[in-house]
Amino acid sequence: MKLRRSMLFLPGANAAMLSTAFVFKPDSIMFDLEDAVSLREKDAARLLVFHALQNPVYRDIETVVRINPLNTPFGLADLEAVVRAGVDIVRLPKTDSAADVHQLEAEVERIERACGRALGSTKLMAAIESASGVVNALSIATSSKRMIGIALAGFDYVMDMQTERGDGTELFYARCAVLHAARVAGIDAFDVVYSDVNDEEGFLKEVELIKKLGFNGKSLINPRQIELLHNAYAPTEEDVDYARRVVAAAEKAERDGLGVIALNGKMIDAPIVNHAKRVLQKAQASGVRK
Amino acid sequence: MKIIKEALAGTLESSDLLVKVMPLPEDRVEVVIQSEVMHQFGEQIRQVVSQTLQQLGLVSGQVVIEDKGALDCAIRARVQAAILRGGSIQELDWSKLS
Amino acid sequence: MNDDIDFYTIDSHKNWDEGAEIQRLLTQCDLDMEEGIHVFVVGRQGHRLVACAGLDGNIVKCVATVPDLRGESLALKLMSEVSHLALEQGHLHLFLFTHPKNVSFFGGCGFYELAEVPGYVSLMENTPIGIKSYSEQLHKLAQPGRKIGCIVMNANPFTFGHQYLVQLAAAQCDWLHVFAVREDVSMFSYRDRFALVQAGVAGIPRLTLHHGSEYMVSRATFPNYFFKEKGIVGECCSAIDLILFRKYIAPALGITHRFVGTEPFCTTTRKYNDDMKHWLQTADSESAPISVVEVPRAVSSNIAISASEVRRLLHSGDMAKMPSLVPRETLKFLSGNHYAT
């Protein structure tokens, strides 16, 4: 179970950031070749990311690359470069339908074969950025075995909806749709970027909301947000104690060959055990809530 | 592969480098490197640049580099980008660039 | 990101809405708006203009950043954008005039000092091997001898006056190097001017004709020769051009004497000749002095022959005197083109 609470966005054309971002410890790092890179620098950014992906400093962090859409002059070249360079996950922007994913998947497989990379090793993440994407969320989420998560992208989505970013009301339905689709498909759900890097309070409020809704994580554009997010997602002492007891009970039941797990006289089923394991995983990753 | 037009890649910011390439009338390669850390890393920078140019098969052109403390991966990327922009190749063979 | 600075370009001829803002930024940094800039790179943080730099062909002018964001990063981003913009305009090799106190700042932006008038102005270029390469190329054309002469001429167009000067100088020297000013802002194009010089000096022995360069009487080194430049830069123009000559060009070819014709008509050229005597002969320098030889103009009917006189006659359609002022090739050229009315 890979923790994906924090995904740090890095502009692919920025050599300094690509060289130094490994010191931050987000759960995943996303190199952006799309909106953060000007037209003039698309080719140069692709090369920077190609080499950064192969740098040993990023070996132990999950890497994601947001490529340009495949119907642009850049998308396919991006894909050739990053799949060969060993990226963990390719993020497809502006995913409107399952067909978009199938098209991407076909190209990824072709490149894996051509360069000798293990078939299926390149995972996918779909970014939902429009009304169509939201409405098709379920078919997108279930469109490929490689899909590990779907992400809601706020900026383009609200424009498509003819509204603006505000207190979150504008994302209400989209968030729920994306979440449900992810849960049915058994994959992760990611929330939008919070762009005001100086508004810590606003950020934490949003994190509380999406955590309650059940999002696995959030896209971040500033390293300062990483620790804030991890702490907000961290379990409390009580949560951890209870989780330990649940897991212990499950292990004991298995040792004793019992089909049923019991704790404090109550029956504990699989979802509760999985949840407890996730709690312990988060605690291990960044401690308990401060 | 030759440089056929003037081209530029990179920036002057810290941890980056600015790479300029220019055509030369003869078949020779001239590399000029300026760096804030010339003493400590000059030789290493030169090696990475040299290896990158060799991999691309450059036989003619002038390469002028203004280094601002870039790591090897940035050096490779910027040199390749400048050569791609100014050179006579249309597409990169990704398998030859690592 | 909120703190992000967006860079974009403004064509000052097409859309000058932001001109007032740029002017305010320059004033804030104690700079005047300079002439000749046709495109600006500007940086905005949100709505605020925080950086600007102008391009006049291959010359960078009006570089400014807001005082509260000083510190390296903004300026480096700005100068990087300038480099890219300049290349889009066709210029990889750039020049920059600045006060000597800013030399180390621009040094951090990939510029290298070419020449300095201490306390007044420095000329810089954006490559470590510009003038060096040029000098090395020139050096290959050096000729042996103790008295090596040099003439730098615009030859707009080539007249008997030019020819007389060249013949006299060649006769007095072991070798003579003649340079044609390269800038294409004169009445006659460089290609035409050079061809006429070439025809006019053909047959004169112990002479090499060189193409001009950016380092000699160019818009970069000597803008006032072509346009009126305001302020300190205007005053120090010829100084920079001459310092470059004494520091790099003369040593490369072993030049000991520079020949000029006296200048009866053009005040700019006359001042240049005076400056020449100062900077090449008398001023302190690490480089050897060069003797300046001022040769009285050749005359025709008691009037000194000069290119400006030829142009004046051409404009007024008076071709009668022309055969006594210009050699055959120049005459053919002037008569055969639409120049002659």
Side-chain angles (χ1 to χ4, degrees):
Chain A
M1 252 185 325
K2 169 82 176 96
L3 272 182
R4 293 196 178 97
R5 300 159 297 176
S6 50
M7 184 160 65
L8 181 66
F9 263 53
L10 296 178
N14 191 313
M17 279 201 222
L18 261 54
S19 303
T20 57
F22 64 91
V23 303
F24 307 119
K25 304 273 182 231
D27 291 333
S28 324
I29 285 201
M30 198 202 68
F31 301 104
D32 188 14
L33 294 176
E34 200 221 6
D35 286 352
V37 177
S38 66
L39 290 177
R40 188 190 78 201
E41 294 298 313
K42 293 287 187 196
D43 57 345
R46 186 180 306 128
L47 281 160
L48 273 176
V49 171
F50 174 74
H51 286 288
L53 285 169
Q54 297 174 76
N55 191 325
V57 296
Y58 288 112
R59 198 172 7 230
D60 296 329
I61 304 184
E62 182 172 67
T63 54
V64 184
V65 172
R66 178 164 76 170
I67 59 169
N68 287 280
L70 291 180
N71 63 358
T72 65
F74 317 110
L76 202 50
D78 291 343
L79 204 55
E80 294 275 355
V82 304
V83 170
R84 286 165 199 277
V87 70
D88 291 318
I89 304 168
V90 170
R91 175 168 166 144
L92 182 69
K94 303 170 172 55
T95 316
D96 284 342
S97 68
D100 294 337
V101 179
H102 295 146
Q103 184 194 20
L104 174 64
E105 195 175 18
E107 296 293 348
V108 170
E109 186 169 314
R110 177 186 60 78
I111 299 167
E112 279 173 344
R113 285 183 200 284
C115 72
R117 178 171 173 167
L119 285 182
S121 60
T122 315
K123 305 300 179 200
L124 303 179
M125 178 194 300
I128 311 281
E129 306 190 39
S130 67
S132 295
V134 169
V135 162
N136 293 328
L138 182 57
S139 70
I140 290 169
T142 52
S143 61
S144 165
K145 283 204 201 57
R146 297 172 185 260
M147 192 71 73
I148 56 93
I150 47 174
L152 181 61
F155 189 72
D156 284 47
Y157 169 74
V158 300
M159 284 208 299
D160 194 37
M161 294 300 288
Q162 299 176 21
T163 180
E164 334 174 297
R165 278 289 268 135
D167 62 359
T169 310
E170 73 284 358
L171 299 177
F172 184 64
Y173 178 73
R175 276 178 166 145
C176 295
V178 163
L179 261 167
H180 280 78
R183 289 298 161 258
V184 168
I187 62 176
D188 288 343
F190 303 107
D191 188 51
V192 302
V193 157
Y194 191 83
S195 48
D196 188 347
V197 299
N198 296 315
D199 180 7
E200 202 176 283
E201 204 184 305
F203 175 71
L204 285 171
K205 243 179 76 179
E206 187 162 281
V207 169
E208 269 311 302
L209 169 64
I210 60 143
K211 193 178 78 123
K212 276 197 201 128
L213 284 173
F215 276 92
N216 299 87
K218 195 173 174 57
S219 298
L220 306 177
I221 52 165
N222 189 300
R224 278 187 299 183
Q225 294 172 326
I226 298 171
E227 210 182 297
L228 289 172
L229 178 67
H230 287 184
N231 189 49
Y233 264 72
T236 60
E237 286 275 13
E238 291 82 16
D239 292 336
V240 172
D241 286 340
Y242 181 68
R244 279 207 188 104
R245 292 208 305 277
V246 165
V247 169
E251 282 168 356
K252 184 170 188 303
E254 194 173 335
R255 277 199 306 275
D256 296 345
L258 297 173
V260 169
I261 310 161
L263 182 65
N264 299 344
K266 296 209 198 79
M267 212 180 75
I268 307 266
D269 58 4
I272 295 179
V273 177
N274 286 336
H275 176 77
K277 285 184 179 162
R278 274 195 293 272
V279 166
L280 292 180
Q281 190 184 26
K282 284 186 197 134
Q284 191 174 46
S286 43
V288 294
R289 183 96 51 90
K290 294 194 224 336
Chain B
M1 196 264 294
K2 308 182 184 207
I3 302 296
I4 54 174
K5 66 178 197 276
E6 292 178 330
L8 171 66
T11 76
L12 295 160
E13 295 171 62
S14 188
S15 300
D16 202 351
L17 59 156
L18 196 66
V19 181
K20 295 189 229 174
V21 298
M22 285 135 280
L24 283 178
E26 324 78 42
D27 273 359
R28 67 182 173 94
V29 175
E30 187 184 337
V31 179
V32 176
I33 301 172
Q34 292 284 126
S35 173
E36 300 170 337
V37 290
M38 208 61 191
H39 272 316
Q40 307 93 302
F41 297 112
E43 194 43 48
Q44 186 179 345
I45 298 171
R46 192 166 284 283
Q47 272 180 25
V48 172
V49 173
S50 190
Q51 185 200 35
T52 308
L53 295 177
Q54 234 175 22
Q55 262 179 337
L56 288 164
L58 186 71
V59 300
S60 173
Q62 188 184 62
V63 181
V64 178
I65 291 173
E66 192 76 36
D67 171 63
K68 301 294 242 167
L71 299 185
D72 287 1
C73 55
I75 296 174
R76 285 196 186 90
R78 295 316 199 183
V79 169
Q80 286 168 351
I83 303 281
L84 186 66
R85 288 173 173 179
S88 50
I89 37 170
Q90 295 294 73
E91 272 173 39
L92 290 175
D93 181 353
W94 290 100
S95 60
K96 295 217 176 74
L97 296 182
S98 293
Chain C
M1 292 193 224
N2 298 31
D3 290 344
D4 254 6
I5 295 169
D6 289 321
F7 287 95
Y8 59 97
T9 62
I10 297 175
D11 184 326
S12 52
H13 298 314
K14 291 199 190 121
N15 180 9
W16 200 224
D17 293 349
E18 293 163 85
E21 269 185 282
I22 294 175
Q23 181 68 73
R24 274 200 296 279
L25 176 59
L26 291 176
T27 307
Q28 200 185 3
C29 302
D30 281 329
L31 293 171
D32 290 319
M33 177 68 78
E34 295 188 56
E35 288 169 17
I37 299 174
H38 53 89
V39 67
F40 267 96
V41 173
V42 301
R44 267 194 200 279
Q45 189 179 56
H47 294 300
R48 190 182 169 214
L49 188 79
V50 295
C52 74
L55 268 180
D56 171 7
N58 64 346
I59 308 165
V60 182
K61 298 180 175 176
C62 292
V63 178
T65 57
V66 291
D68 57 281
L69 289 180
R70 296 273 164 83
E72 306 261 305
S73 172
L74 176 57
L76 294 175
K77 283 191 178 74
L78 176 68
M79 296 305 287
S80 303
E81 286 300 310
V82 167
S83 303
H84 283 277
L85 171 66
L87 182 62
E88 274 168 39
Q89 311 267 321
H91 303 292
L92 193 64
H93 187 197
L94 302 177
F95 293 90
L96 169 72
F97 279 99
T98 190
H99 193 279
K101 67 174 162 50
N102 297 324
V103 164
S104 66
F105 166 78
F106 285 111
C109 299
F111 277 80
Y112 297 83
E113 194 175 35
L114 282 168
E116 180 179 309
V117 179
Y120 285 99
V121 71
S122 288
L123 175 67
M124 306 181 80
E125 61 174 348
N126 71 342
T127 164
I129 54 163
I131 189 72
K132 283 195 192 65
S133 283
Y134 180 63
S135 304
E136 278 164 23
Q137 293 305 313
L138 277 184
H139 188 60
K140 292 182 189 155
L141 300 169
Q143 298 288 344
R146 267 197 327 209
K147 191 170 175 185
I148 306 293
C150 177
I151 297 174
V152 177
M153 62 170 66
N154 196 12
N156 189 28
F158 187 82
T159 67
F160 277 132
H162 294 103
Q163 195 176 60
Y164 169 70
L165 179 64
V166 173
Q167 281 163 338
L168 187 143
Q172 291 183 14
C173 296
D174 295 322
W175 201 273
L176 179 67
H177 294 278
V178 177
F179 287 84
V181 169
R182 195 172 205 135
E183 285 294 345
D184 241 332
V185 291
S186 307
M187 180 179 177
F188 301 100
S189 73
Y190 175 69
R191 213 180 61 148
D192 291 333
R193 287 187 286 111
F194 187 84
L196 294 180
V197 174
Q198 201 168 34
V201 304
I204 300 175
R206 299 187 316 282
L207 179 149
T208 305
L209 175 61
H210 301 264
H211 283 289
S213 75
E214 295 168 300
Y215 298 106
M216 181 186 287
V217 193
S218 70
R219 282 178 69 254
T221 67
F222 193 173
N224 226 20
Y225 190 89
F226 305 101
F227 312 107
K228 213 172 161 323
E229 280 280 326
K230 294 190 291 200
I232 286 295
V233 171
E235 291 299 311
C236 295
C237 279
S238 57
I240 292 288
D241 178 83
L242 294 163
I243 292 170
L244 278 177
F245 182 81
R246 183 170 175 181
K247 194 171 159 187
Y248 298 103
I249 294 161
L253 291 169
I255 290 167
T256 54
H257 291 73
R258 182 149 164 185
F259 291 83
V260 285
T262 51
E263 180 46 65
F265 299 118
C266 177
T267 38
T268 309
T269 311
R270 203 177 328 139
K271 178 172 188 308
Y272 186 48
N273 290 357
D274 289 339
D275 290 339
M276 214 182 287
K277 286 184 225 149
H278 171 72
W279 291 104
L280 297 186
Q281 279 180 171
T282 52
D284 273 334
S285 168
E286 286 167 3
S287 314
I290 298 151
S291 305
V292 178
V293 181
E294 239 181 330
V295 178
R297 291 260 175 186
V299 296
S300 166
S301 314
N302 279 329
I303 299 182
I305 304 172
S306 80
S308 48
E309 178 63 7
V310 168
R311 292 195 303 273
R312 196 185 65 77
L313 290 171
L314 197 62
H315 275 307
S316 62
D318 183 357
M319 293 294 284
K321 294 203 187 67
M322 218 52 93
S324 59
L325 298 178
V326 300
R328 204 186 46 192
E329 282 301 316
T330 307
L331 184 64
K332 220 164 69 177
F333 173 76
L334 294 176
S335 312
N337 279 291
H338 57 271
Y339 296 120
T341 46

